[in-house]
Amino acid sequence: MYLPTHFDAADPALAAQLMRAHPFASLVTTDEDGFPFVTHLPLVLQGDAGAPAGWTLLGHVARPNPQWKHLQARPQALVTFLGPHGYVSPTVYPDRQRVPTWNYVAVHCRVHATLLPEAEAKDALLKQLIGQHEPPYAQQWRDLGEDYQRRMLAGIAAFSLRVEHWQCKLKLNQHRPEAESAMRRLHAAQGGAAAGLGAWMDRVGAEG
């Protein structure tokens, strides 16, 4: 992605934090015609936050989704994560010669895919997703019975995505410190997807 130096977050711990806090990602592959194909799905980041050389992302798609076949034929893919984002009005600046922009935080990962066809690997992956998003559901999953579990596992294609390269972009207009206070007030008032930008501005400040 386009990554100006002042928005480039080189600390892998920040990238890992963003991926774990906002795990609903976009997986981009290419189909047989070379056209991009995108699936939006939750992914689980495995590995030490400070050691990106060991990062892997675990996920699955429904078997009717052709993307797992793309990964099988062409294992290189792109994964993107988008965190909080929000509109920035020119009114945040003390002078009028400004234009609107958009603040956001994002991580892009180039990955190499390995399919996980074994039922045990699929079950372990699902248990990690359950543990991340709804731990109490684990007992209900166990109580569904082995036959039902096998049918459900047979209906998905699971994979491990080894992170080969990553970029973390914190586009928070940190190069415009004169507007920081007004931007914070604006994003807080916007709420929704913009509400978390203030916390990321705090992290950028701490890094600086």
Side-chain angles (χ1 to χ4, degrees):
M1 62 178 156
Y2 172 57
L3 191 57
T5 303
H6 42 272
F7 299 146
D8 185 359
D11 183 353
L14 289 177
Q17 186 174 7
L18 193 152
M19 289 187 281
R20 286 175 170 146
H22 302 276
F24 193 61
S26 297
L27 173 61
V28 185
T29 57
T30 53
D31 63 18
E32 289 71 17
D33 298 320
F35 195 80
F37 187 99
V38 184
T39 295
H40 308 286
L41 74 173
L43 295 174
V44 176
L45 173 64
Q46 285 191 319
D48 189 319
W55 285 354
T56 59
L57 300 164
L58 299 178
H60 70 277
V61 296
R63 284 196 70 82
N65 184 334
Q67 193 165 45
W68 69 270
K69 296 180 180 178
H70 301 169
L71 294 172
Q72 186 176 50
R74 295 171 294 279
Q76 288 262 327
L78 173 70
V79 174
T80 70
F81 296 84
L82 179 64
H85 59 92
Y87 173 75
V88 179
S89 166
T91 59
V92 301
Y93 300 104
D95 57 293
R96 296 186 61 83
Q97 291 187 327
R98 301 289 183 175
V99 294
T101 187
W102 205 275
N103 277 351
Y104 61 93
V105 295
V107 172
H108 288 193
C109 298
R110 186 176 68 231
V111 299
H112 186 278
T114 301
L115 297 183
L116 304 173
E118 299 84 4
E120 294 80 4
K122 294 180 184 180
D123 183 62
L125 185 157
L126 291 183
K127 286 175 178 173
Q128 289 194 57
L129 283 169
I130 291 168
Q132 183 170 345
H133 299 290
E134 192 182 5
Y137 178 72
Q139 184 60 51
Q140 182 175 333
W141 170 251
R142 288 191 293 268
D143 292 342
L144 291 173
E146 291 186 5
D147 288 343
Y148 182 84
Q149 290 178 14
R150 279 196 295 269
R151 291 198 301 273
M152 293 298 99
L153 293 173
I156 64 173
F159 40 79
S160 172
L161 308 172
R162 186 180 74 250
V163 176
E164 297 185 327
H165 179 72
W166 62 274
Q167 294 175 306
C168 181
K169 185 172 183 177
L170 306 182
K171 199 279 187 183
L172 301 167
N173 272 22
Q174 53 266 48
H175 61 312
R176 304 293 185 195
E178 72 278 10
E180 179 181 346
S181 296
M183 277 192 294
R184 285 178 179 273
R185 290 193 296 271
L186 174 66
H187 292 321
Q190 288 169 332
L197 285 168
W200 282 96
M201 292 173 77
D202 291 339
R203 295 184 184 104
V204 168
E207 287 296 302

